[in-house]
Amino acid sequence: MLDNVRIVLVNTSDCRNMGSAARAMKTMGLKNLVLVDPKEMPNGQAQALAAGATDVLANAKVVATMKEAIEDCGLVVGTSARSRTLPWPMLDPRSCGKQMSEEGKEYPVALVFGRESSGLTNDELQLCHYHVAIPANPEYSSLNLAMAVQTLSYEIRMNFLEAEQAQFEKQEVSSDSADAELQDGESKYQLVEETERFYDHFESAMQKTGFIQAKHPGIIMTKVRRLFNRARPDGKELKMLRGILASIDKSVKNKD
């Protein structure tokens, strides 16, 4: 399961933080690091702070966008403060560790950390199924990047160890029951790439009906994303929704 956990650092400005984050990851048994458009590439300073985790740093994947970093993931959790204009489904660190441990048995999962100074943008946060906030001291909530990576990686590892100790007995029973209706090889939840196609199709269909005005879209798609991220439709449900949208496309085309 730990091999399916991906730590994603977005637009990191100080390469030393990459090294410290790599060290924090390896102490918790994590090794998959993705750097999204870093301000500077890891150098000798980063390697020095990585200490014995230089292999994690050396094997880090570098991509241009957050979408590219998470497109094959079935679960994406972004780190964020709670105070946002549009609330999003929130997890605390403990429930985040549990969610990622459970779903990480099925497909890649990503834990995304933003810029040191400003975090993730609203657009980037909308790519996440959940947000997680570390409940630090409100009078002094200053956590550096490596501290945040360490805290959340620890919760993932603790859930992994608990499940391992129980030999996955309870998890296997519930998983067998929940997945009984799924076809062989079909994931319960769709990967980000598939859900993004659904959102594109939804927006296109709503523009054709006139529900969304292309020149004045407002925040409808933001609310739609929040709705479906909260609902987490499975593979069959998403196919059904795509079928509904296809019927709308056909109906509009026939009227034209």
Side-chain angles (χ1 to χ4, degrees):
M1 185 282 295
L2 294 178
D3 288 344
N4 267 345
V5 178
R6 185 175 305 169
I7 300 297
V8 179
L9 306 184
V10 177
N11 210 202
T12 310
S13 60
D14 190 335
C15 72
R16 292 175 297 181
N17 288 330
M18 302 174 195
S20 296
R23 183 176 182 177
M25 289 171 58
K26 189 168 183 177
T27 59
M28 295 297 113
L30 305 180
K31 63 182 183 182
N32 293 323
L33 175 63
V34 180
L35 306 176
V36 178
D37 188 27
K39 291 291 186 181
E40 59 177 346
M41 295 299 294
N43 55 27
Q45 289 182 315
Q47 292 174 351
L49 287 170
T54 52
D55 56 327
V56 174
L57 198 60
N59 293 323
K61 182 179 179 181
V62 181
V63 298
T65 66
M66 179 175 157
K67 277 189 178 181
E68 188 178 349
I70 63 172
E71 62 184 358
D72 62 336
C73 294
L75 172 68
V76 181
V77 180
T79 53
S80 170
R82 287 184 180 274
S83 56
R84 290 282 172 176
T85 303
L86 188 65
W88 212 259
M90 292 291 302
L91 297 172
D92 59 35
R94 196 137 297 171
S95 56
C96 174
K98 181 178 180 181
Q99 192 87 17
M100 300 200 80
S101 296
E102 290 179 351
E103 297 195 32
K105 291 181 287 186
E106 299 182 44
Y107 35 64
V109 296
L111 185 57
V112 186
F113 297 82
R115 300 152 189 83
E116 293 96 330
S117 59
S118 57
L120 296 168
T121 66
N122 285 333
D123 286 342
E124 290 164 345
L125 285 168
Q126 286 180 31
L127 293 173
C128 304
H129 297 106
Y130 296 96
H131 297 166
V132 58
I134 298 172
N137 178 5
E139 296 179 2
Y140 187 71
S141 59
S142 179
L143 281 171
N144 66 33
L145 181 59
M147 288 178 179
V149 172
Q150 185 80 78
T151 300
L152 297 177
S153 296
Y154 168 80
E155 294 296 345
I156 293 171
R157 182 164 185 80
M158 289 304 296
N159 275 276
F160 165 72
L161 292 176
E162 288 177 8
E164 187 180 59
Q165 186 175 6
Q167 299 179 347
F168 301 102
E169 291 178 359
K170 293 182 180 180
Q171 290 82 354
E172 285 179 352
V173 171
S174 60
S175 177
D176 290 343
S177 175
D179 295 342
E181 296 182 358
L182 295 179
Q183 298 177 359
D184 291 342
E186 182 180 8
S187 296
K188 182 176 180 181
Y189 296 122
Q190 293 298 285
L191 304 182
V192 170
E193 184 179 14
E194 292 298 323
T195 54
E196 285 301 309
R197 288 199 190 106
F198 165 70
Y199 290 133
D200 290 341
H201 192 177
F202 188 98
E203 185 172 13
S204 173
M206 293 303 98
Q207 286 176 349
K208 291 174 183 176
T209 65
F211 185 74
I212 294 179
Q213 300 295 323
K215 294 184 178 179
H216 305 285
I219 61 171
I220 291 176
M221 286 307 301
T222 297
K223 292 182 177 180
V224 167
R225 282 176 174 273
R226 183 176 64 174
L227 168 64
F228 285 107
N229 279 338
R230 185 168 61 242
R232 301 287 310 278
D234 62 29
K236 289 186 176 180
E237 291 168 339
L238 201 62
K239 287 179 181 178
M240 178 190 69
L241 291 169
R242 290 293 298 272
I244 293 171
L245 295 175
S247 70
I248 293 174
D249 290 337
K250 184 177 179 180
S251 178
V252 172
K253 184 177 180 180
N254 290 339
K255 287 183 179 180
D256 294 342

